[in-house]
Amino acid sequence: MEFELWMLLGIPFFFGLGWLAARVDINELVSESRTLPRGYFKGLNHLLNDQPDKAIDSFIEIVKLDPESADMHFALGNLFRRRGETERAIRVHQNLLARPDLPAEDKAHAQYELGIDYLKAGLLDRAEETFNQLVDTSYAVKARRSLLEIYQREKEWKRAIAAAEGLQDSGAGSRQKEIAQFYCELAQDALVHTASGDAMQLLDKALEADRHSVRATILRGDAQLAQGDVEEALKTWRRVEQQSVPHVALVAARLMDGYRKVGRPQEGVNLLKSYLAEASSIDLIEVVFKAVIELDGVQAAKELVVEELRRNPTLLGLDKLLEARLMDAPANIWEELSMVKNLVQRYTQKLARYQCSHCGFKARQFYWHCPGCNRWDSYPPRRTEELNVMN
């Protein structure tokens, strides 16, 4: 009973302590709010009401009254940058950096913001120089991310690899997939300049970084073909199926051409038909369709397309069927069929696009690097109509 009584007596005591602490916090908050300039609340209110122009005017007044306020400078600089006034944002952050009494952390912050200003303004050399000065500060990870963006814009792939590895070493997460893509860019450039040996070495590094890199495998086959080793190229391209079945559509034409070169076209057709049974694709049908016409005739090609239309009904597939029908259509219906095909083809041109899974950017050709959002490997290897049918 004594213990319970003590507990009851203690409740008002602890309640009183809590009330006192709350009063102290509230009084402190009220006291601090009184020290803030009136323009601060006006600017904040304008921001909340989505009126950035008026907010900027309010914050400019505060900076005039209190030029030592670093926080207001940062807020003002960011507002200028968001409005696209990068020159004014640059001046704000340069003025901050010119202050000799600026604390080290605020100096690093101002330098980072200045680098972002330069980046937004397209002054990549100045941005790179600014970010390089931050690699030993608390803004190192952010600076390296920005440096990586710069090197990709400039297509400085070796420096991009170094920046990505630096990010990994700083604990900012894995960048292996991107590093593999950078090696692929270097390898592709080597192939353009007929340096297939250099390309092979670079692709080995790409696959070491990401053994599932479909692009590296495809390019490795291209390098082997450039060296005259068609059989090895065919073996390499066939590995794409093990990495990603949908991506076999990207190597279908290469495989068929390779099998023609080694004198085994029927083996190539049979292989591609097996891929088609596993993962239907308009691009794959296109290659198989032409090869079947060449080897087995128009009737076999029509049967192939009809079967695919049953499995995967698309307008793009219908377009191929009409193409096959026109090849042996009687003269009295040829013109009508041709008109229908032209109408279907005109409409399917809008559907025969690849679409970035991140930003939705559509393109006629397949990209490994999205021109819209700059993401790597964000394009599914299927056309938009096929993706809609699958969904």
Side-chain angles (χ1 to χ4, degrees):
M1 288 296 293
E2 291 179 6
F3 177 74
E4 292 178 3
L5 182 61
W6 178 84
M7 287 287 289
L8 289 171
L9 290 172
I11 289 172
F13 174 72
F14 288 115
F15 178 80
L17 283 178
W19 178 84
L20 184 61
R23 290 290 298 169
V24 169
D25 288 343
I26 291 169
N27 288 334
E28 187 177 342
L29 183 63
V30 170
S31 175
E32 286 180 0
S33 69
R34 283 174 181 163
T35 64
L36 290 170
R38 217 175 135 197
Y40 173 83
F41 295 103
K42 285 173 66 180
L44 190 60
N45 186 53
H46 290 316
L47 280 179
L48 292 173
N49 291 323
D50 198 21
Q51 297 173 310
D53 293 347
K54 292 182 179 180
I56 284 175
D57 293 338
S58 298
F59 289 144
I60 286 174
E61 288 302 315
I62 298 173
V63 170
K64 286 179 181 176
L65 293 170
D66 183 13
E68 302 301 310
S69 172
D71 288 341
M72 282 298 104
H73 281 78
F74 287 132
L76 191 57
N78 284 332
L79 279 172
F80 281 140
R81 192 166 65 224
R82 281 173 59 189
R83 279 186 42 175
E85 297 184 55
T86 50
E87 288 185 13
R88 297 179 78 181
I90 287 168
R91 285 201 300 272
V92 168
H93 294 127
Q94 283 177 334
N95 288 338
L96 257 183
L97 282 169
R99 282 170 43 180
D101 61 333
L102 194 67
E105 186 64 19
D106 284 344
K107 184 175 181 180
H109 186 184
Q111 200 160 9
Y112 172 72
E113 296 294 341
L114 181 61
I116 296 296
D117 295 337
Y118 287 143
L119 190 58
K120 294 290 184 185
L123 303 172
L124 301 186
D125 289 344
R126 289 188 188 181
E128 182 184 347
E129 182 183 351
T130 304
F131 290 131
N132 273 322
Q133 294 170 12
L134 292 168
V135 292
D136 294 320
T137 70
S138 58
Y139 282 81
V141 172
K142 289 183 176 180
R144 284 195 175 100
R145 284 199 187 105
S146 297
L147 283 168
L148 182 57
E149 181 183 342
I150 291 169
Y151 297 144
Q152 289 181 80
R153 279 202 208 178
E154 295 181 328
K155 302 188 185 302
E156 292 279 352
W157 304 116
K158 289 181 180 178
R159 299 175 82 180
I161 289 167
E165 289 174 344
L167 269 174
Q168 283 190 157
D169 294 342
S170 64
S174 174
R175 296 277 173 166
Q176 292 300 101
K177 290 185 181 296
E178 288 170 88
I179 290 170
Q181 291 285 358
F182 301 153
Y183 277 119
C184 286
E185 290 287 338
L186 290 169
Q188 194 159 290
D189 187 58
L191 284 172
V192 168
H193 293 90
T194 64
S196 56
D198 293 340
M200 289 290 284
Q201 292 178 15
L202 291 164
L203 292 167
D204 285 343
K205 291 180 179 178
L207 288 165
E208 186 180 331
D210 178 16
R211 64 189 180 89
H212 298 294
S213 173
V214 172
R215 186 186 184 188
T217 301
I218 294 173
L219 286 173
R220 187 177 176 80
D222 292 348
Q224 289 165 332
L225 182 66
Q227 292 176 337
D229 198 340
V230 184
E231 290 289 359
E232 281 302 312
L234 287 170
K235 286 179 187 176
T236 300
W237 289 326
R238 289 186 66 167
R239 288 194 203 113
V240 170
E241 183 194 11
Q242 299 165 17
Q243 294 174 312
S244 170
V245 172
H247 281 86
V248 295
L250 302 180
V251 290
R254 287 174 170 88
L255 283 165
M256 198 61 233
D257 288 343
Y259 277 108
R260 286 191 189 101
K261 284 178 182 176
V262 296
R264 303 197 305 274
Q266 193 61 56
E267 185 179 335
V269 170
N270 293 340
L271 175 67
L272 296 183
K273 281 183 177 179
S274 70
Y275 289 161
L276 202 54
E278 196 172 351
S280 183
S281 159
I282 292 298
D283 293 317
L284 192 51
I285 290 172
E286 176 78 26
V287 177
V288 179
F289 176 76
K290 289 178 179 177
V292 169
I293 288 175
E294 177 189 326
L295 294 173
D296 303 321
V298 174
Q299 185 57 37
K302 281 194 286 190
E303 291 171 5
L304 171 81
V305 177
V306 168
E307 181 60 31
E308 281 305 308
L309 272 172
R310 287 198 184 103
R311 289 176 53 217
N312 190 28
T314 63
L315 283 175
L316 291 164
L318 176 61
D319 183 55
K320 299 314 298 178
L321 177 60
L322 290 170
E323 183 180 336
R325 294 286 189 198
L326 278 169
M327 288 180 181
D328 60 357
N332 61 328
I333 64 165
W334 191 93
E335 189 174 348
E336 292 178 4
L337 270 179
S338 182
M339 287 175 58
V340 173
K341 186 191 182 307
N342 288 337
L343 284 171
V344 172
Q345 189 175 42
R346 208 175 305 161
Y347 185 73
T348 56
Q349 283 176 350
K350 300 175 184 178
L351 302 172
R353 307 285 178 94
Y354 295 104
Q355 184 173 1
C356 174
S357 59
H358 181 257
C359 72
F361 189 92
K362 292 181 180 180
R364 291 187 183 278
Q365 69 182 80
F366 181 86
Y367 284 107
W368 294 103
H369 189 217
C370 177
C373 63
N374 295 317
R375 291 288 181 105
W376 288 98
D377 211 7
S378 60
Y379 276 84
R382 286 193 171 98
R383 306 284 179 169
T384 51
E385 191 194 8
E386 294 176 277
L387 292 173
N388 292 335
V389 169
M390 291 169 65
N391 293 334

